Amino acid sequence: MEDQARGMPGHSGLSVLSQDGVGDPDDRRKHYNSVQPKEDIGDILQQIMTITDESLDEAQARKHALNCHRMKAALFSVLCEIKEKAALSVRGIQEEDPPEPQLMRLDNMLLAEGVAGPEGGGASAAAAAVAATAGDLSDDVSIEHADYREKLAQIRQIYHAELEKYEQACNEFTGHVMNLLREQSRTRPISPKEIERMVAIIHHKFSAIQMQLKQSTCEAVMILRSRFLDARRKRRNFSKQATEILNEYFYSHLANPYPTEEAKEELAKKCSITVAQVVNWFGNKRIRYKKNITKFQEEANLYAMKTAVDETGEHANSTQIGLGLKSGPHCEAAVLT
DNA sequence: GCGCATGATTGGAA
DNA sequence: TTCCAATCATGCGC
């Protein structure tokens, strides 16, 4: 811009002003005051001041007249120099922002939750993770799982729609400002660098808005997730049949009530529960049995009888799981104590 | 509503 | 990693 002004035909720009070897704006002002009639500058300033009050056509005509004015290049050069000095004093203030860790965290989280990134990628993984933590394949949980996915998809949709809207608004606004600045650069000194800086500022402002969007999206996902995960705590008793199968195994392996991985899987399958639930059940059972053997004695006898009957029956081995030895509870109860 | 039963969670030890 | 022990939270019978 400055170069443009300096190169204007019929004017020497700053060179004219610095012919006397003085670069100080005050000196230049004195110089102008002494050389040019005051009315000229006052007249131009007056025209600039009143330009906004006029119609567009009049303003355009006036602008054109100003552009062609013999003083234009000189004034432009002065403005350039003043601005250059002013810019030097503020340079460094608007340094590039360091990458915001908060924004990175939000981005990572949205990616992990499947809100950002490719559709279905993280979303299904996150949903699967939630399903895994729920640790149940019952209908109720399947329904909740579907519900979770549906709500997550809604959040995702809203997030992308808003994001797109922000991006569009940002681009429109940036384009508008750039055009405006380009237009203004004809009458006041605006370097391309300044335009770039302005664009960066606009982007920065819009990214702040985007961050708010990301933050509230994260919150929504967290609420949804916590609501769903809270459902995990909603305990439901196992079916009578499942409890029976587990008790049968426990009392028939009282000497070593630690099912192998295969046995756990087999029990889980038979009881329609997860391996984790089998593990929980045995953990609870062992500790509660140990704590109060006398209380469980009756139950132990009952299952011992049941096992004995099964053993003598035709399908004696059909209820056996794993490699544990079958024996009466009375002789083995002491192992846990 | 209360108390007990029971599945789930958590922190620490081995 | 697995298990124990304590604890939490909910289900269920009374």
Side-chain angles (χ1 to χ4, degrees), chain A residues 256-287:
Chain A
N256 184 35
Y258 299 90
T260 59
E261 284 307 308
E262 292 81 34
K264 281 177 198 170
E265 280 171 27
E266 189 73 32
L267 283 166
K269 210 182 277 179
K270 276 196 167 186
C271 301
S272 301
I273 58 176
T274 64
V275 172
Q277 284 175 306
V278 172
V279 171
N280 279 340
W281 189 91
F282 273 88
N284 284 322
K285 191 72 184 179
R286 280 191 298 266
I287 193 88

Side-chain angles (χ1 to χ4, degrees), chain A residues 25 28-29 40 47 59 67 114 146 156 167 185 190 210 220 222 255 262 270 288:
Chain A
R28 273 198 302 272
R29 203 161 44 239
D40 267 8
Q47 286 181 46
N67 274 332
R156 187 190 160 89
E167 269 165 16
S185 70
I190 302 170
Q210 277 188 3
M222 282 293 100
E262 292 81 34
K270 276 196 167 186
R288 281 161 190 166

Side-chain angles (χ1 to χ4, degrees), chain A residues 211-264:
Chain A
M211 193 157 109
Q212 279 182 357
L213 171 72
K214 284 175 182 177
Q215 197 146 14
S216 51
T217 307
C218 279
E219 278 168 19
V221 172
M222 282 293 100
I223 290 166
L224 178 69
R225 205 179 162 85
S226 70
R227 252 188 224 162
F228 183 79
L229 291 180
D230 278 349
R232 275 186 315 175
R233 296 194 74 89
K234 278 183 185 167
R235 188 177 62 79
R236 217 161 277 178
N237 289 348
F238 297 157
S239 69
K240 208 178 170 186
Q241 197 191 354
T243 312
E244 227 163 81
I245 292 167
L246 293 165
N247 272 319
E248 248 174 63
Y249 186 94
F250 180 80
Y251 287 113
S252 62
H253 297 80
L254 214 50
N256 184 35
Y258 299 90
T260 59
E261 284 307 308
E262 292 81 34
K264 281 177 198 170

